[in-house]
Amino acid sequence: MFLPIAIGQILASAETLSLQGVFDDDGYLRGVSAQQYPPGSLRHRLGRVLDHRRTPKVLAGVTLAAATGLALARGHRKAQITAAAVIGVCNRLSEIRTPYGRDGADQMTAVITQYRTLTALMADPRVSDDLFLRAVNFQAGLSYAVSGISKAFGSSWVQGDALPEVLRTEAYGRGPAAEILRRHPRLCRALTIGTVAWEASFPLVYLLPRAQASHALSAVKLFHVGVAATMELPRFVWGFVGSHGAVGHVLDTRGQRRTFEKTVLGIAGGVTLASALIAREKRAIAEQRRLGPKGVSRLRSGSGDIEYAVDHPSGGPDHSRPVVVLECGLGQSLDSWEWVAERLSLDHTVVRYHRSGYGFTTSRASSGDLLDAVLDEVGAKGEIVVVTHSIGSLSAASYVRDPRFADRTRRLVIVDGTDPELLAADRSDRRRFGTFVQAQVHTLFAP
């Protein structure tokens, strides 16, 4: 498991030692760690040392020595742990100095070296090694599966366009392998879609017989080699290939007690259950508060509840002035207009409401029907001024010509309104729609 890591770190160190000028103060790999601390502070002085143009070469030299020792220390547990700790510290300092330029293989290498260091603190070597291997295996399986699932929500991957687009870039499309793939677009698209499929289904390797699982891991190794050759990233393969040793350990110990896996699943299940209970309690508290001091009301209608808020001038409603209706933007609550409503309510009655699917509104009626019911409830019979934000402009457009509102609407104010033609184009374009869905899924589940 550590031999590929050692090879990758030797190559990375040699590459760093051969670079010239990129670590200078005007180079693209210049140090930036000191910038976030006040001048004169201890952290700033340490950051200045770390940001020095010679520091990367020093760290690379130490890493090269440690990686060489790691490659020669096969079977010597303490030497492996020491070398892994040194490599982990040097790589972490490099990330702090310049927090970009790392790829997935670098991150997996960091996982392996840091996990090896942490689990070495356990007294029993067998328990320590088993926990280390199972933890790395968990991260390896998770990295493949999450990568595939996230690609499945990106339309450029599902449509097979991602790899051809990558190969058209100057950074990754100059090699001979890239040129071959560009001449065979169908193969390129097949590889793109196939990448999504095998990454998302990687956890199935744990269900295969040992021989077939070994073949599957060999195929994954060839994939990494192909990526390294195509994009000319010689370091890309080593971190992931190193993690396959941990996957093999778990495959070899199937049927034995899986304390680590049970612990992880138990903690995840407990956290999920606790989060659900806390969220339910917070929702009940929020609902109680919204209907109380915040002045939000709920109208019971035949189609469901309508949540709304009405603000009157301090002297009471002024029927000589139009009622101001505030329409919320996409994903925003009526609280987003709070500061505007506070100012407008000095002279006008201000009405805010939640459309279908927002807040505690359960009614599925149209925006016009909801607003009509709310205006009737608050006794607003005269003229109205409709103020909209973002997609709220489309909501207003659906009812301002309605006979119930056409003669009453004195003004329509649009703040950064949504272009209906552009929205239609976004919905019809699979790539844009895929990007939108990917963003929404991330917003929903990442927290």
Side-chain angles (χ1 to χ4, degrees):
M1 182 174 171
F2 279 111
L3 183 59
I5 298 298
I7 295 174
Q9 291 304 295
I10 290 172
L11 291 175
S13 302
E15 180 183 27
T16 300
L17 292 171
S18 66
L19 294 174
Q20 300 294 332
V22 296
F23 303 113
D24 294 340
D25 292 340
D26 58 348
Y28 68 90
L29 291 180
R30 62 187 179 276
V32 295
S33 62
Q35 297 178 4
Q36 55 186 319
Y37 302 113
S41 64
L42 177 60
R43 289 187 174 184
H44 184 268
R45 289 196 295 269
L46 293 175
R48 289 291 301 274
V49 175
L50 192 60
D51 292 345
H52 195 276
R53 59 187 180 86
R54 292 193 180 93
T55 300
K57 299 293 183 74
V58 174
L59 293 175
V62 175
T63 301
L64 179 60
T68 303
L70 185 62
L72 299 176
R74 304 189 68 179
H76 298 278
R77 184 172 181 273
K78 291 184 178 180
Q80 287 180 338
I81 293 172
T82 303
V86 172
I87 292 173
V89 170
C90 290
N91 286 343
R92 182 61 187 139
L93 290 174
S94 297
E95 291 175 3
I96 295 173
R97 182 188 183 279
T98 309
Y100 57 87
R102 300 282 170 174
D103 57 27
D106 294 322
Q107 294 167 1
M108 184 58 69
T109 298
V111 165
I112 293 173
T113 55
Q114 292 170 21
Y115 279 17
R116 178 68 282 184
T117 306
L118 290 173
T119 55
L121 299 175
M122 304 180 69
D124 190 329
R126 292 187 62 184
V127 175
S128 170
D129 293 348
D130 183 72
L131 177 61
F132 161 64
L133 292 168
R134 291 187 180 279
V136 173
N137 164 74
F138 185 81
Q139 288 284 1
L142 194 64
S143 67
Y144 285 125
V146 170
S147 178
I149 293 171
S150 64
K151 288 183 177 70
F153 286 105
S155 58
S156 63
W157 282 93
V158 176
Q159 294 180 6
D161 297 332
L163 183 55
E165 290 174 351
V166 170
L167 297 181
R168 283 197 293 268
T169 63
E170 183 179 350
Y172 300 120
R174 295 178 297 178
E179 179 61 30
I180 293 174
L181 287 176
R182 279 198 297 268
R183 290 201 299 264
H184 298 84
R186 290 186 178 179
L187 174 60
C188 203
R189 289 179 182 275
L191 290 174
T192 304
I193 298 173
T195 299
V196 179
W198 81 256
E199 285 186 340
S201 60
F202 181 84
L204 296 178
V205 74
Y206 301 104
L207 304 178
L208 297 175
R210 187 62 176 94
Q212 282 72 20
S214 297
H215 296 329
L217 289 176
S218 297
V220 174
K221 290 181 176 66
L222 289 176
F223 166 81
H224 288 301
V225 172
V227 171
T230 302
M231 299 183 182
E232 296 187 324
L233 295 172
R235 295 184 300 154
F236 184 78
V237 65
W238 304 107
F240 288 110
V241 169
S243 70
H244 291 180
V247 178
H249 170 74
V250 171
L251 292 172
D252 290 334
T253 56
R254 284 184 290 189
Q256 298 182 12
R257 293 177 64 244
R258 299 183 180 183
T259 306
F260 174 78
E261 286 83 353
K262 291 180 180 178
T263 301
V264 170
L265 292 176
I267 292 174
V271 170
T272 301
L273 178 60
S275 299
L277 294 175
I278 292 172
R280 186 177 69 173
E281 185 65 23
K282 284 188 174 182
R283 180 179 176 85
I285 294 174
E287 183 175 2
Q288 186 178 19
R289 287 177 176 173
R290 289 182 67 80
L291 295 174
K294 291 180 72 66
V296 179
S297 304
R298 181 176 295 176
L299 172 61
R300 310 283 184 178
S301 67
S303 59
D305 296 345
I306 307 172
E307 186 182 17
Y308 71 96
V310 56
D311 300 280
H312 295 293
S314 58
D318 185 351
H319 298 292
S320 65
R321 295 175 179 270
V323 173
V324 179
V325 177
L326 301 178
E327 284 277 357
C328 303
L330 178 65
Q332 294 181 327
S333 71
L334 51 81
D335 296 327
S336 63
W337 284 112
E338 187 75 33
W339 63 282
V340 179
E342 183 178 352
R343 291 291 189 90
L344 291 176
S345 63
L346 297 176
D347 304 304
H348 297 78
T349 295
V350 181
V351 172
R352 295 168 285 159
Y353 74 102
H354 274 147
R355 298 188 293 271
S356 175
Y358 284 69
F360 294 111
T361 294
T362 59
S363 173
R364 296 299 177 185
S366 66
S367 298
D369 292 339
L370 296 178
L371 180 58
D372 184 56
V374 171
L375 292 177
D376 184 65
E377 176 70 13
V378 302
K381 303 294 185 182
E383 292 183 327
I384 62 174
V385 172
V386 181
V387 183
T388 74
H389 173 231
S390 185
I391 208 168
S393 60
L394 301 186
S395 175
S398 69
Y399 61 73
V400 289
R401 294 184 180 180
D402 188 293
R404 296 172 293 180
F405 302 99
D407 296 332
R408 299 176 60 186
T409 304
R410 179 190 290 187
R411 295 284 188 275
L412 176 61
V413 182
I414 299 176
V415 181
D416 192 22
T418 297
D419 185 331
E421 295 183 358
L422 182 60
L423 180 63
D426 284 340
R427 288 176 169 173
S428 60
D429 187 289
R430 292 182 59 188
R431 179 168 300 182
R432 293 180 182 177
F433 187 75
T435 302
F436 172 78
V437 172
Q438 190 174 21
Q440 296 307 306
V441 171
H442 178 270
T443 301
L444 286 170
F445 295 107

